[in-house]
PDB file of all heavy atoms in Angstrom:
ATOM      1  N   LEU U   8       9.833  31.269  90.987  1.00  0.00           N
ATOM      2  CA  LEU U   8      10.398  31.561  89.660  1.00  0.00           C
ATOM      3  C   LEU U   8      11.644  32.389  89.812  1.00  0.00           C
ATOM      4  O   LEU U   8      12.628  32.211  89.137  1.00  0.00           O
ATOM      5  CB  LEU U   8       9.338  32.377  88.842  1.00  0.00           C
ATOM      6  CG  LEU U   8       8.132  31.617  88.254  1.00  0.00           C
ATOM      7  CD1 LEU U   8       7.180  32.587  87.612  1.00  0.00           C
ATOM      8  CD2 LEU U   8       8.663  30.663  87.208  1.00  0.00           C
ATOM      9  N   TRP U   9      11.645  33.394  90.695  1.00  0.00           N
ATOM     10  CA  TRP U   9      12.693  34.223  90.950  1.00  0.00           C
ATOM     11  C   TRP U   9      13.962  33.450  91.491  1.00  0.00           C
ATOM     12  O   TRP U   9      15.109  33.653  91.147  1.00  0.00           O
ATOM     13  CB  TRP U   9      12.367  35.386  91.901  1.00  0.00           C
ATOM     14  CG  TRP U   9      13.466  36.330  92.328  1.00  0.00           C
ATOM     15  CD1 TRP U   9      13.964  37.363  91.506  1.00  0.00           C
ATOM     16  CD2 TRP U   9      14.264  36.320  93.483  1.00  0.00           C
ATOM     17  NE1 TRP U   9      14.931  37.937  92.173  1.00  0.00           N
ATOM     18  CE2 TRP U   9      15.217  37.284  93.442  1.00  0.00           C
ATOM     19  CE3 TRP U   9      14.185  35.439  94.584  1.00  0.00           C
ATOM     20  CZ2 TRP U   9      16.179  37.644  94.325  1.00  0.00           C
ATOM     21  CZ3 TRP U   9      15.119  35.798  95.589  1.00  0.00           C
ATOM     22  CH2 TRP U   9      16.096  36.858  95.474  1.00  0.00           C
ATOM     23  N   ASN U  10      13.717  32.534  92.415  1.00  0.00           N
ATOM     24  CA  ASN U  10      14.720  31.723  92.963  1.00  0.00           C
ATOM     25  C   ASN U  10      15.433  30.844  91.925  1.00  0.00           C
ATOM     26  O   ASN U  10      16.534  30.547  91.939  1.00  0.00           O
ATOM     27  CB  ASN U  10      14.138  30.928  94.092  1.00  0.00           C
ATOM     28  CG  ASN U  10      15.208  30.603  95.175  1.00  0.00           C
ATOM     29  OD1 ASN U  10      16.216  31.216  95.257  1.00  0.00           O
ATOM     30  ND2 ASN U  10      14.887  29.598  95.980  1.00  0.00           N
ATOM     31  N   VAL U  11      14.568  30.217  91.102  1.00  0.00           N
ATOM     32  CA  VAL U  11      15.059  29.351  90.011  1.00  0.00           C
ATOM     33  C   VAL U  11      15.993  30.143  89.124  1.00  0.00           C
ATOM     34  O   VAL U  11      17.104  29.629  88.729  1.00  0.00           O
ATOM     35  CB  VAL U  11      13.966  28.688  89.164  1.00  0.00           C
ATOM     36  CG1 VAL U  11      14.351  28.070  87.933  1.00  0.00           C
ATOM     37  CG2 VAL U  11      13.241  27.641  90.086  1.00  0.00           C
ATOM     38  N   GLU U  12      15.567  31.349  88.708  1.00  0.00           N
ATOM     39  CA  GLU U  12      16.370  32.218  87.919  1.00  0.00           C
ATOM     40  C   GLU U  12      17.670  32.610  88.582  1.00  0.00           C
ATOM     41  O   GLU U  12      18.684  32.657  87.955  1.00  0.00           O
ATOM     42  CB  GLU U  12      15.587  33.459  87.477  1.00  0.00           C
ATOM     43  CG  GLU U  12      16.096  34.165  86.395  1.00  0.00           C
ATOM     44  CD  GLU U  12      16.025  33.544  85.057  1.00  0.00           C
ATOM     45  OE1 GLU U  12      15.105  32.636  84.810  1.00  0.00           O
ATOM     46  OE2 GLU U  12      16.913  33.811  84.209  1.00  0.00           O
ATOM     47  N   ARG U  13      17.501  32.840  89.890  1.00  0.00           N
ATOM     48  CA  ARG U  13      18.803  33.247  90.621  1.00  0.00           C
ATOM     49  C   ARG U  13      19.808  32.126  90.689  1.00  0.00           C
ATOM     50  O   ARG U  13      20.958  32.324  90.413  1.00  0.00           O
ATOM     51  CB  ARG U  13      18.364  33.684  92.088  1.00  0.00           C
ATOM     52  CG  ARG U  13      19.506  34.128  92.875  1.00  0.00           C
ATOM     53  CD  ARG U  13      19.019  34.596  94.287  1.00  0.00           C
ATOM     54  NE  ARG U  13      18.325  33.572  95.004  1.00  0.00           N
ATOM     55  CZ  ARG U  13      18.811  33.073  96.132  1.00  0.00           C
ATOM     56  NH1 ARG U  13      19.909  33.444  96.609  1.00  0.00           N
ATOM     57  NH2 ARG U  13      18.119  32.083  96.735  1.00  0.00           N
ATOM     58  N   HIS U  14      19.321  30.938  90.895  1.00  0.00           N
ATOM     59  CA  HIS U  14      20.220  29.817  90.935  1.00  0.00           C
ATOM     60  C   HIS U  14      20.784  29.450  89.482  1.00  0.00           C
ATOM     61  O   HIS U  14      21.939  29.019  89.379  1.00  0.00           O
ATOM     62  CB  HIS U  14      19.567  28.563  91.543  1.00  0.00           C
ATOM     63  CG  HIS U  14      19.326  28.578  92.966  1.00  0.00           C
ATOM     64  ND1 HIS U  14      20.383  28.816  93.870  1.00  0.00           N
ATOM     65  CD2 HIS U  14      18.229  28.540  93.715  1.00  0.00           C
ATOM     66  CE1 HIS U  14      19.844  28.848  95.058  1.00  0.00           C
ATOM     67  NE2 HIS U  14      18.571  28.693  94.987  1.00  0.00           N
ATOM     68  N   ALA U  15      19.988  29.710  88.482  1.00  0.00           N
ATOM     69  CA  ALA U  15      20.478  29.468  87.185  1.00  0.00           C
ATOM     70  C   ALA U  15      21.526  30.415  86.793  1.00  0.00           C
ATOM     71  O   ALA U  15      22.556  30.158  86.035  1.00  0.00           O
ATOM     72  CB  ALA U  15      19.341  29.567  86.129  1.00  0.00           C
ATOM     73  N   LEU U  16      21.374  31.724  87.159  1.00  0.00           N
ATOM     74  CA  LEU U  16      22.387  32.734  86.904  1.00  0.00           C
ATOM     75  C   LEU U  16      23.693  32.529  87.726  1.00  0.00           C
ATOM     76  O   LEU U  16      24.730  32.846  87.297  1.00  0.00           O
ATOM     77  CB  LEU U  16      21.862  34.101  87.203  1.00  0.00           C
ATOM     78  CG  LEU U  16      20.904  34.685  86.149  1.00  0.00           C
ATOM     79  CD1 LEU U  16      20.263  35.978  86.695  1.00  0.00           C
ATOM     80  CD2 LEU U  16      21.608  34.879  84.855  1.00  0.00           C
ATOM     81  N   ALA U  17      23.479  31.974  88.905  1.00  0.00           N
ATOM     82  CA  ALA U  17      24.620  31.690  89.767  1.00  0.00           C
ATOM     83  C   ALA U  17      25.583  30.664  89.243  1.00  0.00           C
ATOM     84  O   ALA U  17      26.721  30.610  89.452  1.00  0.00           O
ATOM     85  CB  ALA U  17      24.233  31.346  91.163  1.00  0.00           C
ATOM     86  N   GLU U  18      24.994  29.663  88.422  1.00  0.00           N
ATOM     87  CA  GLU U  18      25.729  28.558  87.820  1.00  0.00           C
ATOM     88  C   GLU U  18      26.544  29.035  86.638  1.00  0.00           C
ATOM     89  O   GLU U  18      27.395  28.360  86.234  1.00  0.00           O
ATOM     90  CB  GLU U  18      24.799  27.437  87.517  1.00  0.00           C
ATOM     91  CG  GLU U  18      24.269  26.783  88.758  1.00  0.00           C
ATOM     92  CD  GLU U  18      23.223  25.680  88.466  1.00  0.00           C
ATOM     93  OE1 GLU U  18      22.963  25.439  87.237  1.00  0.00           O
ATOM     94  OE2 GLU U  18      22.693  25.107  89.464  1.00  0.00           O
ATOM     95  N   LEU U  19      26.075  30.036  86.090  1.00  0.00           N
ATOM     96  CA  LEU U  19      26.825  30.613  84.773  1.00  0.00           C
ATOM     97  C   LEU U  19      28.075  31.381  85.231  1.00  0.00           C
ATOM     98  O   LEU U  19      27.938  32.165  86.267  1.00  0.00           O
ATOM     99  CB  LEU U  19      25.878  31.410  83.923  1.00  0.00           C
ATOM    100  CG  LEU U  19      24.642  30.825  83.357  1.00  0.00           C
ATOM    101  CD1 LEU U  19      23.835  31.829  82.713  1.00  0.00           C
ATOM    102  CD2 LEU U  19      25.136  29.712  82.325  1.00  0.00           C
ATOM    103  N   PRO U  20      29.078  31.327  84.458  1.00  0.00           N
ATOM    104  CA  PRO U  20      30.174  32.237  84.702  1.00  0.00           C
ATOM    105  C   PRO U  20      29.669  33.738  84.499  1.00  0.00           C
ATOM    106  O   PRO U  20      28.832  33.976  83.601  1.00  0.00           O
ATOM    107  CB  PRO U  20      31.231  31.947  83.654  1.00  0.00           C
ATOM    108  CG  PRO U  20      30.758  30.606  83.033  1.00  0.00           C
ATOM    109  CD  PRO U  20      29.386  30.470  83.437  1.00  0.00           C
ATOM    110  N   ASN U  21      30.277  34.701  85.157  1.00  0.00           N
ATOM    111  CA  ASN U  21      29.919  36.094  85.061  1.00  0.00           C
ATOM    112  C   ASN U  21      29.962  36.614  83.683  1.00  0.00           C
ATOM    113  O   ASN U  21      29.090  37.399  83.249  1.00  0.00           O
ATOM    114  CB  ASN U  21      30.713  36.969  86.014  1.00  0.00           C
ATOM    115  CG  ASN U  21      30.332  36.800  87.423  1.00  0.00           C
ATOM    116  OD1 ASN U  21      29.249  36.259  87.704  1.00  0.00           O
ATOM    117  ND2 ASN U  21      31.204  37.155  88.358  1.00  0.00           N
ATOM    118  N   ALA U  22      30.927  36.263  82.969  1.00  0.00           N
ATOM    119  CA  ALA U  22      31.155  36.783  81.614  1.00  0.00           C
ATOM    120  C   ALA U  22      30.077  36.264  80.604  1.00  0.00           C
ATOM    121  O   ALA U  22      29.807  36.857  79.638  1.00  0.00           O
ATOM    122  CB  ALA U  22      32.568  36.481  81.055  1.00  0.00           C
ATOM    123  N   SER U  23      29.557  35.058  80.938  1.00  0.00           N
ATOM    124  CA  SER U  23      28.553  34.458  79.879  1.00  0.00           C
ATOM    125  C   SER U  23      27.096  34.625  80.292  1.00  0.00           C
ATOM    126  O   SER U  23      26.296  34.035  79.774  1.00  0.00           O
ATOM    127  CB  SER U  23      28.870  32.983  79.777  1.00  0.00           C
ATOM    128  OG  SER U  23      28.581  32.283  80.950  1.00  0.00           O
ATOM    129  N   SER U  24      26.753  35.466  81.295  1.00  0.00           N
ATOM    130  CA  SER U  24      25.397  35.706  81.616  1.00  0.00           C
ATOM    131  C   SER U  24      24.709  36.544  80.559  1.00  0.00           C
ATOM    132  O   SER U  24      25.149  37.711  80.325  1.00  0.00           O
ATOM    133  CB  SER U  24      25.325  36.441  82.985  1.00  0.00           C
ATOM    134  OG  SER U  24      25.816  35.693  83.962  1.00  0.00           O
ATOM    135  N   PRO U  25      23.800  35.965  79.851  1.00  0.00           N
ATOM    136  CA  PRO U  25      23.074  36.720  78.870  1.00  0.00           C
ATOM    137  C   PRO U  25      22.331  37.953  79.405  1.00  0.00           C
ATOM    138  O   PRO U  25      21.682  37.760  80.462  1.00  0.00           O
ATOM    139  CB  PRO U  25      22.152  35.730  78.176  1.00  0.00           C
ATOM    140  CG  PRO U  25      22.389  34.385  78.913  1.00  0.00           C
ATOM    141  CD  PRO U  25      23.295  34.658  80.074  1.00  0.00           C
ATOM    142  N   PRO U  26      22.387  39.074  78.735  1.00  0.00           N
ATOM    143  CA  PRO U  26      21.714  40.214  79.282  1.00  0.00           C
ATOM    144  C   PRO U  26      20.200  39.991  79.348  1.00  0.00           C
ATOM    145  O   PRO U  26      19.465  40.627  80.266  1.00  0.00           O
ATOM    146  CB  PRO U  26      21.956  41.285  78.209  1.00  0.00           C
ATOM    147  CG  PRO U  26      23.040  40.771  77.361  1.00  0.00           C
ATOM    148  CD  PRO U  26      23.132  39.307  77.555  1.00  0.00           C
ATOM    149  N   GLU U  27      19.641  39.152  78.523  1.00  0.00           N
ATOM    150  CA  GLU U  27      18.151  38.888  78.555  1.00  0.00           C
ATOM    151  C   GLU U  27      17.849  38.194  79.943  1.00  0.00           C
ATOM    152  O   GLU U  27      16.760  38.431  80.561  1.00  0.00           O
ATOM    153  CB  GLU U  27      17.660  38.029  77.458  1.00  0.00           C
ATOM    154  CG  GLU U  27      17.980  38.499  76.019  1.00  0.00           C
ATOM    155  CD  GLU U  27      19.399  38.019  75.605  1.00  0.00           C
ATOM    156  OE1 GLU U  27      19.810  36.923  75.897  1.00  0.00           O
ATOM    157  OE2 GLU U  27      20.036  38.919  74.903  1.00  0.00           O
ATOM    158  N   ARG U  28      18.627  37.284  80.349  1.00  0.00           N
ATOM    159  CA  ARG U  28      18.379  36.584  81.635  1.00  0.00           C
ATOM    160  C   ARG U  28      18.554  37.547  82.821  1.00  0.00           C
ATOM    161  O   ARG U  28      17.818  37.412  83.712  1.00  0.00           O
ATOM    162  CB  ARG U  28      19.346  35.375  81.758  1.00  0.00           C
ATOM    163  CG  ARG U  28      18.807  34.203  80.930  1.00  0.00           C
ATOM    164  CD  ARG U  28      19.591  33.020  81.366  1.00  0.00           C
ATOM    165  NE  ARG U  28      18.825  32.368  82.298  1.00  0.00           N
ATOM    166  CZ  ARG U  28      18.923  31.004  82.593  1.00  0.00           C
ATOM    167  NH1 ARG U  28      19.773  30.392  81.906  1.00  0.00           N
ATOM    168  NH2 ARG U  28      18.247  30.508  83.594  1.00  0.00           N
ATOM    169  N   LEU U  29      19.611  38.393  82.757  1.00  0.00           N
ATOM    170  CA  LEU U  29      19.752  39.333  83.857  1.00  0.00           C
ATOM    171  C   LEU U  29      18.566  40.319  83.915  1.00  0.00           C
ATOM    172  O   LEU U  29      18.103  40.632  84.996  1.00  0.00           O
ATOM    173  CB  LEU U  29      21.013  40.169  83.579  1.00  0.00           C
ATOM    174  CG  LEU U  29      22.292  39.356  83.900  1.00  0.00           C
ATOM    175  CD1 LEU U  29      23.586  40.289  83.478  1.00  0.00           C
ATOM    176  CD2 LEU U  29      22.430  39.001  85.385  1.00  0.00           C
ATOM    177  N   SER U  30      18.104  40.712  82.697  1.00  0.00           N
ATOM    178  CA  SER U  30      16.943  41.560  82.697  1.00  0.00           C
ATOM    179  C   SER U  30      15.655  40.914  83.204  1.00  0.00           C
ATOM    180  O   SER U  30      14.955  41.431  84.050  1.00  0.00           O
ATOM    181  CB  SER U  30      16.661  42.068  81.334  1.00  0.00           C
ATOM    182  OG  SER U  30      15.494  42.785  81.264  1.00  0.00           O
ATOM    183  N   ARG U  31      15.514  39.612  82.883  1.00  0.00           N
ATOM    184  CA  ARG U  31      14.344  38.845  83.412  1.00  0.00           C
ATOM    185  C   ARG U  31      14.399  38.639  84.925  1.00  0.00           C
ATOM    186  O   ARG U  31      13.471  38.832  85.606  1.00  0.00           O
ATOM    187  CB  ARG U  31      14.256  37.523  82.724  1.00  0.00           C
ATOM    188  CG  ARG U  31      13.130  36.696  83.121  1.00  0.00           C
ATOM    189  CD  ARG U  31      12.988  35.439  82.313  1.00  0.00           C
ATOM    190  NE  ARG U  31      11.778  34.789  82.642  1.00  0.00           N
ATOM    191  CZ  ARG U  31      11.716  33.646  83.330  1.00  0.00           C
ATOM    192  NH1 ARG U  31      12.768  33.051  83.772  1.00  0.00           N
ATOM    193  NH2 ARG U  31      10.528  33.114  83.542  1.00  0.00           N
ATOM    194  N   TYR U  32      15.648  38.387  85.423  1.00  0.00           N
ATOM    195  CA  TYR U  32      15.817  38.188  86.803  1.00  0.00           C
ATOM    196  C   TYR U  32      15.499  39.566  87.546  1.00  0.00           C
ATOM    197  O   TYR U  32      14.861  39.483  88.659  1.00  0.00           O
ATOM    198  CB  TYR U  32      17.299  37.769  87.103  1.00  0.00           C
ATOM    199  CG  TYR U  32      17.697  37.766  88.505  1.00  0.00           C
ATOM    200  CD1 TYR U  32      17.258  36.763  89.290  1.00  0.00           C
ATOM    201  CD2 TYR U  32      18.662  38.679  88.952  1.00  0.00           C
ATOM    202  CE1 TYR U  32      17.692  36.817  90.654  1.00  0.00           C
ATOM    203  CE2 TYR U  32      19.027  38.654  90.272  1.00  0.00           C
ATOM    204  CZ  TYR U  32      18.539  37.671  91.209  1.00  0.00           C
ATOM    205  OH  TYR U  32      18.992  37.648  92.518  1.00  0.00           O
ATOM    206  N   ARG U  33      16.027  40.617  87.132  1.00  0.00           N
ATOM    207  CA  ARG U  33      15.800  41.910  87.744  1.00  0.00           C
ATOM    208  C   ARG U  33      14.241  42.249  87.712  1.00  0.00           C
ATOM    209  O   ARG U  33      13.692  42.633  88.710  1.00  0.00           O
ATOM    210  CB  ARG U  33      16.556  42.977  87.099  1.00  0.00           C
ATOM    211  CG  ARG U  33      17.977  42.987  87.397  1.00  0.00           C
ATOM    212  CD  ARG U  33      18.722  44.267  86.913  1.00  0.00           C
ATOM    213  NE  ARG U  33      20.147  43.973  86.953  1.00  0.00           N
ATOM    214  CZ  ARG U  33      20.914  43.832  85.883  1.00  0.00           C
ATOM    215  NH1 ARG U  33      20.291  43.859  84.624  1.00  0.00           N
ATOM    216  NH2 ARG U  33      22.166  43.589  85.944  1.00  0.00           N
ATOM    217  N   ARG U  34      13.580  42.017  86.529  1.00  0.00           N
ATOM    218  CA  ARG U  34      12.181  42.342  86.427  1.00  0.00           C
ATOM    219  C   ARG U  34      11.423  41.389  87.393  1.00  0.00           C
ATOM    220  O   ARG U  34      10.472  41.820  88.024  1.00  0.00           O
ATOM    221  CB  ARG U  34      11.734  42.095  84.966  1.00  0.00           C
ATOM    222  CG  ARG U  34      10.349  42.637  84.722  1.00  0.00           C
ATOM    223  CD  ARG U  34      10.019  42.761  83.256  1.00  0.00           C
ATOM    224  NE  ARG U  34      10.090  41.400  82.600  1.00  0.00           N
ATOM    225  CZ  ARG U  34      10.834  41.128  81.590  1.00  0.00           C
ATOM    226  NH1 ARG U  34      11.713  42.064  81.060  1.00  0.00           N
ATOM    227  NH2 ARG U  34      10.886  39.975  81.103  1.00  0.00           N
ATOM    228  N   LEU U  35      11.782  40.133  87.467  1.00  0.00           N
ATOM    229  CA  LEU U  35      11.073  39.264  88.459  1.00  0.00           C
ATOM    230  C   LEU U  35      11.201  39.695  89.896  1.00  0.00           C
ATOM    231  O   LEU U  35      10.285  39.719  90.635  1.00  0.00           O
ATOM    232  CB  LEU U  35      11.574  37.808  88.287  1.00  0.00           C
ATOM    233  CG  LEU U  35      11.048  36.938  87.187  1.00  0.00           C
ATOM    234  CD1 LEU U  35      11.782  35.623  87.039  1.00  0.00           C
ATOM    235  CD2 LEU U  35       9.494  36.705  87.359  1.00  0.00           C
ATOM    236  N   GLY U  36      12.462  40.149  90.152  1.00  0.00           N
ATOM    237  CA  GLY U  36      12.702  40.740  91.599  1.00  0.00           C
ATOM    238  C   GLY U  36      11.925  41.868  91.793  1.00  0.00           C
ATOM    239  O   GLY U  36      11.279  41.996  92.945  1.00  0.00           O
ATOM    240  N   TRP U  37      11.843  42.766  90.991  1.00  0.00           N
ATOM    241  CA  TRP U  37      11.051  44.018  91.130  1.00  0.00           C
ATOM    242  C   TRP U  37       9.538  43.775  91.207  1.00  0.00           C
ATOM    243  O   TRP U  37       8.823  44.368  92.026  1.00  0.00           O
ATOM    244  CB  TRP U  37      11.309  45.142  90.054  1.00  0.00           C
ATOM    245  CG  TRP U  37      12.554  45.850  90.319  1.00  0.00           C
ATOM    246  CD1 TRP U  37      13.762  45.747  89.636  1.00  0.00           C
ATOM    247  CD2 TRP U  37      12.829  46.764  91.439  1.00  0.00           C
ATOM    248  NE1 TRP U  37      14.655  46.544  90.183  1.00  0.00           N
ATOM    249  CE2 TRP U  37      14.140  47.231  91.340  1.00  0.00           C
ATOM    250  CE3 TRP U  37      12.049  47.234  92.453  1.00  0.00           C
ATOM    251  CZ2 TRP U  37      14.704  48.144  92.184  1.00  0.00           C
ATOM    252  CZ3 TRP U  37      12.630  48.126  93.406  1.00  0.00           C
ATOM    253  CH2 TRP U  37      13.958  48.547  93.222  1.00  0.00           C
ATOM    254  N   ARG U  38       9.119  42.777  90.352  1.00  0.00           N
ATOM    255  CA  ARG U  38       7.698  42.394  90.405  1.00  0.00           C
ATOM    256  C   ARG U  38       7.367  41.727  91.760  1.00  0.00           C
ATOM    257  O   ARG U  38       6.338  42.112  92.333  1.00  0.00           O
ATOM    258  CB  ARG U  38       7.522  41.452  89.246  1.00  0.00           C
ATOM    259  CG  ARG U  38       6.019  41.098  89.007  1.00  0.00           C
ATOM    260  CD  ARG U  38       5.905  40.374  87.631  1.00  0.00           C
ATOM    261  NE  ARG U  38       5.137  39.208  87.883  1.00  0.00           N
ATOM    262  CZ  ARG U  38       5.154  38.160  87.187  1.00  0.00           C
ATOM    263  NH1 ARG U  38       5.911  37.989  86.096  1.00  0.00           N
ATOM    264  NH2 ARG U  38       4.290  37.145  87.459  1.00  0.00           N
ATOM    265  N   LEU U  39       8.171  40.943  92.234  1.00  0.00           N
ATOM    266  CA  LEU U  39       7.981  40.240  93.512  1.00  0.00           C
ATOM    267  C   LEU U  39       7.878  41.310  94.603  1.00  0.00           C
ATOM    268  O   LEU U  39       7.013  41.327  95.508  1.00  0.00           O
ATOM    269  CB  LEU U  39       9.106  39.258  93.777  1.00  0.00           C
ATOM    270  CG  LEU U  39       9.091  38.556  95.099  1.00  0.00           C
ATOM    271  CD1 LEU U  39       7.852  37.740  95.305  1.00  0.00           C
ATOM    272  CD2 LEU U  39      10.353  37.627  95.287  1.00  0.00           C
TER     273      LEU U  39
END
């Protein structure tokens, strides 16, 4: 799940990364 989220965020331009996705990615990483 964390890896899928990481690749999905990498495909988005930096300016258009939604804060909810970044928060979910960080939370998944800390949970892992």
Side-chain angles (χ1 to χ4, degrees):
L8 285 172
W9 178 78
N10 206 18
V11 165
E12 194 69 27
R13 181 173 63 112
H14 288 303
L16 283 172
E18 291 176 0
L19 293 173
N21 286 340
S23 68
S24 296
E27 304 87 36
R28 283 195 89 158
L29 286 172
S30 173
R31 181 171 187 255
Y32 171 70
R33 286 189 196 107
R34 192 170 58 241
L35 279 172
W37 281 110
R38 191 170 130 202
L39 177 62

